[in-house]
Amino acid sequence: MTNVTAHMTMSLDGYIATHSDEVGALFEWYSAGSVEVESRNRDIRFRPDELGAALVRSMMTDVGALVSGRRLFDITDGWGDQHPVGAPVVVVTHRPPADASRWPRTTFVDDVPRAIALAKEIAGDRDVAIASADVVGQALDLGLVDEVAVSLVPLLMTSGKAYFGSLTSGPILLEDPTVVAGTRATHLRYRVRR
């Protein structure tokens, strides 16, 4: 069965980027070790510690489709049509780019339920990952997320874009976490309680 996981790297005070979309020290854990992990995107390299490397490798193995918002897609220029985990991307947007054919591995849909359904179809028996805060909030509100994952970084940003900023329903109960304490990040996974 396909598992839908929301996964983001977050500061201790709940932010995933600055107001101007910069991540800075948040992504330090991806290069804080000595284990080389080659991503599926030749322009992006990872060098986390052993525990972080296991997490990155599992994402590349387990994730069969990724759901993104348009803003993240634009910031990354669609990852050059090759997301680092190697999975096809489904972008939630009301404004698909005029040159959408530049990204043949990317599909544009206009709402979160359709995006999750399509990503599940694309993923088959593999997992679906959600990597945009607004999409995560909407998917949680709709009961479409099975697991919340956080790579929690020892950083206080004091302001920025919140991981759960668009969440409106609640409370949403989560099970006890699986905890992996790595270098520059503690990786937490919570099943959503149904």
Side-chain angles (χ1 to χ4, degrees):
M1 184 168 116
T2 301
N3 190 54
V4 178
T5 300
H7 181 253
M8 302 287 278
T9 296
M10 180 179 79
S11 68
L12 190 58
D13 53 350
Y15 299 104
I16 59 163
T18 67
H19 290 293
S20 59
D21 297 314
E22 295 172 24
V23 293
L26 279 170
F27 281 15
E28 202 174 88
W29 74 270
Y30 283 112
S31 59
S34 60
V35 181
E36 187 79 29
V37 179
E38 193 168 320
S39 83
R40 303 293 193 256
N41 183 316
R42 61 183 163 80
D43 297 328
I44 298 172
R45 297 265 187 236
F46 301 115
R47 195 176 180 87
D49 65 359
E50 288 185 32
L51 298 171
L55 173 68
V56 171
R57 285 187 191 113
S58 73
M59 285 190 277
M60 288 186 215
T61 302
D62 299 344
V63 174
L66 184 119
V67 178
S68 171
R70 175 66 190 268
R71 182 183 186 102
L72 180 59
F73 177 82
D74 288 345
I75 290 167
T76 63
D77 191 31
W79 299 276
D81 204 37
Q82 186 64 39
H83 189 276
V85 300
V89 177
V90 178
V91 177
V92 180
T93 182
H94 295 292
R95 305 172 293 103
D99 58 347
S101 62
R102 278 185 53 206
W103 302 278
R105 296 185 44 143
T106 301
T107 306
F108 300 91
V109 298
D110 63 357
D111 68 27
V112 171
R114 286 186 55 220
I116 299 294
L118 179 59
K120 284 181 163 182
E121 184 179 313
I122 292 167
D125 292 336
R126 296 171 71 198
D127 293 339
V128 170
I130 306 173
S132 290
D134 286 340
V135 176
V136 167
Q138 291 176 57
L140 279 166
D141 282 337
L142 295 165
L144 300 174
V145 176
D146 301 307
E147 183 177 63
V148 174
V150 178
S151 292
L152 189 63
V153 175
L155 169 68
L156 298 171
M157 292 178 61
T158 69
S159 70
K161 296 185 179 175
Y163 187 165
F164 304 105
S166 64
L167 187 62
T168 60
S169 68
I172 295 174
L173 295 175
L174 307 174
E175 298 296 344
D176 292 334
T178 300
V179 180
V180 175
T183 303
R184 301 306 304 153
T186 300
H187 308 287
L188 307 166
R189 296 180 83 87
Y190 301 87
R191 295 293 299 173
V192 176
R193 189 180 287 181
R194 303 269 187 232

